[in-house]
Amino acid sequence: MPHAIALKRNPAGASPFPAICAPLVGRTAAKLLEEVAAVAAKKPDILEWRVDFFEGIADAPAVAELAGRLKQLAGGIPILFTRRSSREGGEPISLTEDRVVGLYRSVCESGHVDLVDFEMGNDAGHVREVREFSRAAGIQLVLSFHDFQRTPPVESIVERFAQAQELGADVAKVAVMPQSMGDVLTLLAATLQASDRSRIPIISMSMGPLGGVTRVGGWTFGSAMTFAVGESSSAPGQMPIEDVAAGVAMLRRALGR
Amino acid sequence: MPHAIALKRNPAGASPFPAICAPLVGRTAAKLLEEVAAVAAKKPDILEWRVDFFEGIADAPAVAELAGRLKQLAGGIPILFTRRSSREGGEPISLTEDRVVGLYRSVCESGHVDLVDFEMGNDAGHVREVREFSRAAGIQLVLSFHDFQRTPPVESIVERFAQAQELGADVAKVAVMPQSMGDVLTLLAATLQASDRSRIPIISMSMGPLGGVTRVGGWTFGSAMTFAVGESSSAPGQMPIEDVAAGVAMLRRALGR
């Protein structure tokens, strides 16, 4: 059965199913502080700080401190900290992968975030390391996979979810690009299979214009979280948070939940 | 490619894709006249008169005349005339099938409706007859199949759409009941396949609470029409017209259409 995302460090304990997550993509501290206040006012369930957009990413102690200020302004909304690699659709950054891991360690040790997203395609040693220090800090680890070009077959997607679970993830995430509505069905079928089998919450989406239906209705097939735009999108196909919240609510009414 | 429903008798010529259709289920003429005004005010694209709910169904000339009064109150919104058989989820009626065909003939000849829905599971001779007189009157024929218990496999559903086309339908409709979200995927996969191949518009839905996502997003997989509640629902799982219209609009924005 599908699992909701548990938030060990958060008083609420578990996020709703599905959680609506809005990204923060400011390039400067000033911009991020404005952005977090504006986006938190729209009441997402989770805020994702996409730190690869942040110009000051190279200064790990400053990033950790800024995470604390974002947390203060987030009004209790949990924060997911994410460096998306340029290989998987993120912004190019100047840090070595060793320094990225150091950045994650600083942020986890600061205790200012609730979840971190790390790509399962990263170096296996790094994945183990991030798993260890995030667990030690009581922070949930999302292990993720993205394909901005295409949608792999159902079995490959299901295998990605299983791989994340084997690597010790608290949450497994797969985001893929459809080239047709058939690809959207593939992603939904994989979501249904994986959420039936998985011991952990899974997150999935078809990106781009074709995938809109998965951002609103993917949770009915087992996806525990959907990304929606507060102020700025962080990936193609994200819809406004007001739209996604309304769409989720109407499907919930239809389901009588 | 998916086709929109063409409305030969209507000035607009073609309905939007997807058309939103709201049912009229009044049991008396007085109730229907109230209902059509209230539902038309909500601006569905098509109104479906479910005549099997109507107590006066046995008097064909009176039904045809009432269709004319409904048309006057519909403010230009096209009317789909439907007797749903109790075998396929409709209300029990006292008419023989011969008299049902006579009723369809009176209504078609009156010219007060734009489309009629007839079940493809009816007697083959009756289907041919309804096809002939509806075509002579310039009225679109929807040939339909419903299963209120279960969802047949993809190939069976695709075959139903093909059968409707072979029987001369202007529009093919399949409504089935899911027992799981896997069944919902089956209906969507069949819709995608059939709409790719079909020369005519197709309509599909998964009914009941589980099928909500198909009522809002089925059109992105090729379904040309979705049923939504104006005042009263005519089948399980129909959502309010305001919700369906909002959901369709948000997916349309996501698709940039």
Side-chain angles (χ1 to χ4, degrees), chain A residues 11 40 45-46 54 72 94-95 102 105 135 139 159 172 218 255:
Chain A
D45 301 300
I46 294 176
F54 180 51
Q72 280 171 355
S94 56
L95 273 60
R105 184 188 293 274
R135 181 175 284 131
I139 287 169
E159 176 51 32
L255 280 162

Side-chain angles (χ1 to χ4, degrees), chain A residues 134-155:
Chain A
S134 59
R135 181 175 284 131
I139 287 169
Q140 302 275 300
L141 175 61
V142 182
L143 287 178
S144 63
F145 170 79
H146 307 74
D147 189 328
F148 276 69
Q149 303 308 316
R150 53 188 274 284
T151 297
V154 171
E155 311 73 51

